[in-house]
Amino acid sequence: MVTFAAMHLSTPAECLDNWFSNDVAFHELYPAVISQLARRHWTPLRVARKAAAFLRTGKEDRVLDIGSGVGKFCLAAAHAEPTVQFTGVELRPWLVEHARIAQQKLGLKNVRFLAANIKDVCFKQFDHFYFYNSFYENLAESEKIDQEMPCSLELFERYSYYLYKQLANRPAGTRLVTYHSLETEIPADFHLVQTEINGYLKYWIKV
Ligand SMILES: C[S@@+](CC[C@H](N)C(=O)[O-])C[C@H]1O[C@@H](n2cnc3c(N)ncnc32)[C@H](O)[C@@H]1O
């Protein structure tokens, strides 16, 4: 006879934690077409956790992920840092749809996703920022998410400059994490305070 005590019943918290146990488990939240894009386009879980810890200062932090894709950074960060409010803004509506479905499955409340171009987002609503080289797709010829994004140096420069100007207007103390960034979008008053993951992950604070 199997007793009640002998049966392993997962608590809701344990079920939630299972999704974040490794990248393969997390990608089960999405259809195969999305997980196939992960290696090139979505932040690894351990990177998201490290970035989220740096972006939490303990002052009701509001963090914007600039180009949030299917929400992997925001969801992993929101799970790791429940006191921080994460917002993802993403140009492609079909990716935002996947992000919202994944969020519903996880039941995370401290995250939301906006379908918009970054150039239409007011940065004043946010304290700190995460950027995984979102505009590089405008330069890349291969491994694109879909064929919708035009290959255009002019667009790359326009978006990068918009981000540069927004960051330049943020107050001292603003934190930024970049992953695989070309750094053309980072104003000189953002000081590099730490690097990890072979120099691909960088932590910045504005002085
Ligand atoms: C490298 S992916 C990173 C996704 C997510 N931040 C993560 O780490 O899991 C960059 C995303 O930025 C989006 N993107 C590119 N240009 C954008 C723009 N101008 N406004 C909003 N999103 C943009 C792309 O569609 C893509 O989903």
Side-chain angles (χ1 to χ4, degrees):
M1 189 179 79
V2 179
T3 64
F4 181 76
M7 288 163 53
H8 180 74
L9 296 178
S10 297
T11 66
E14 284 171 341
C15 286
L16 181 61
D17 290 346
N18 282 342
W19 289 111
F20 296 96
S21 58
N22 60 65
D23 289 287
V24 174
F26 184 85
H27 296 154
E28 292 289 318
L29 286 164
Y30 303 97
V33 65
I34 297 298
S35 38
Q36 282 154 12
L37 291 167
R39 187 191 58 79
R40 168 67 185 80
H41 295 283
W42 319 137
T43 299
L45 289 179
R46 75 179 178 123
V47 171
R49 282 192 281 264
K50 284 171 182 285
F54 177 75
L55 294 168
R56 177 181 49 76
T57 68
K59 296 181 193 150
E60 298 183 0
D61 305 292
R62 301 162 300 171
V63 170
L64 177 68
D65 179 13
I66 300 156
S68 50
V70 292
K72 187 174 175 188
F73 167 76
C74 282
L75 294 167
H79 176 248
E81 301 294 346
T83 63
V84 178
Q85 291 295 322
F86 291 91
T87 299
V89 61
E90 169 55 51
L91 186 62
R92 293 173 162 105
W94 68 278
L95 296 184
V96 176
E97 196 54 35
H98 283 295
R100 288 178 178 153
I101 291 169
Q103 179 188 5
Q104 273 184 358
K105 286 183 190 168
L106 296 168
L108 290 170
K109 302 280 185 241
N110 57 324
V111 57
R112 65 179 175 150
F113 296 102
L114 310 176
N117 192 314
I118 192 65
K119 71 180 175 50
D120 299 320
V121 173
C122 172
F123 276 46
K124 286 186 184 152
Q125 305 167 58
F126 304 101
D127 305 300
H128 309 295
F129 303 89
Y130 176 75
F131 183 63
Y132 178 5
N133 207 12
S134 297
F135 312 138
Y136 184 74
E137 240 201 300
N138 293 119
L139 301 179
E141 299 276 354
S142 60
E143 291 200 74
K144 293 165 95 68
I145 293 174
D146 59 24
Q147 297 312 311
E148 299 300 308
M149 194 80 85
C151 220
S152 158
L153 175 61
E154 192 261 326
L155 259 188
F156 172 83
E157 288 178 342
R158 198 189 318 159
Y159 290 145
S160 300
Y161 184 55
Y162 179 80
L163 180 51
Y164 176 94
K165 278 192 304 181
Q166 295 298 316
L167 292 173
N169 285 331
R170 303 315 303 138
T174 298
R175 292 183 174 214
L176 168 70
V177 176
T178 57
Y179 187 49
H180 286 270
S181 163
L182 301 181
E183 298 177 25
T184 53
E185 68 288 338
I186 304 176
D189 53 5
F190 276 79
H191 282 198
L192 184 62
V193 293
Q194 198 188 340
T195 68
E196 285 192 277
I197 321 274
N198 297 327
Y200 291 123
L201 182 64
K202 295 189 174 172
Y203 305 90
W204 310 80
I205 300 181
K206 183 164 174 159
V207 291

